[in-house]
Amino acid sequence: QVQVEESGGGLVQAGESLTLSCTSSALTFAAYALGWFRQAPGKEREAVSCINSWSSRTTYYADSVKGRFTASRDNAKNTLYLQMDSLKAEDTAMYYCAVGKYDGCSVSWMDQFSRYNYWGQGTQVTVSS
């Protein structure tokens, strides 16, 4: 069974920063697009970002996090990151890493769960105001 693991969540104050990581011991990330999703209590899971397999420069973001969050990947370390700056209370959610079925992303479908093969168990981010 392929396992994808997120880490780095925690409790921070509004305005602070946090970096999430995602890796897998059984799956090589290099060939796949990678996504970050989040789900707040009582809300649907939503896409945060999607990054192409070949370049961190080709990354798409949800409007709610543009300018504050930065996704990046280190294929040599088989790791996906999400740098979250200027955190707000509304960023409080469980954050999930998702491994795409293909090597590329598109802003038109980055939020479609069917585009992703594997998911992590999530890491909790709580932002106090």
Side-chain angles (χ1 to χ4, degrees), residues 100-102 109 111-117 119:
K101 291 183 178 179
Y102 311 108
W109 55 254
D111 58 343
Q112 295 176 13
F113 301 159
S114 62
R115 299 283 183 165
Y116 302 88
N117 264 335
W119 295 79

Side-chain angles (χ1 to χ4, degrees), residues 29-34 50-55 58 73 100-105 109:
F29 284 172
Y32 305 103
L34 299 172
C50 188
I51 185 170
N52 285 344
S53 66
W54 57 86
S55 172
T58 309
R73 61 191 298 161
K101 291 183 178 179
Y102 311 108
D103 60 356
C105 297
W109 55 254

Side-chain angles (χ1 to χ4, degrees), residues 89-124:
E90 50 263 44
D91 295 318
T92 294
M94 186 73 77
Y95 283 72
Y96 299 90
C97 172
V99 182
K101 291 183 178 179
Y102 311 108
D103 60 356
C105 297
S106 171
V107 68
S108 63
W109 55 254
M110 61 182 272
D111 58 343
Q112 295 176 13
F113 301 159
S114 62
R115 299 283 183 165
Y116 302 88
N117 264 335
Y118 303 104
W119 295 79
Q121 294 298 306
T123 185
Q124 178 67 39

Side-chain angles (χ1 to χ4, degrees), residues 17-34:
S17 298
L18 205 58
T19 301
L20 306 182
S21 300
C22 172
T23 190
S24 173
S25 60
L27 184 65
T28 300
F29 284 172
Y32 305 103
L34 299 172

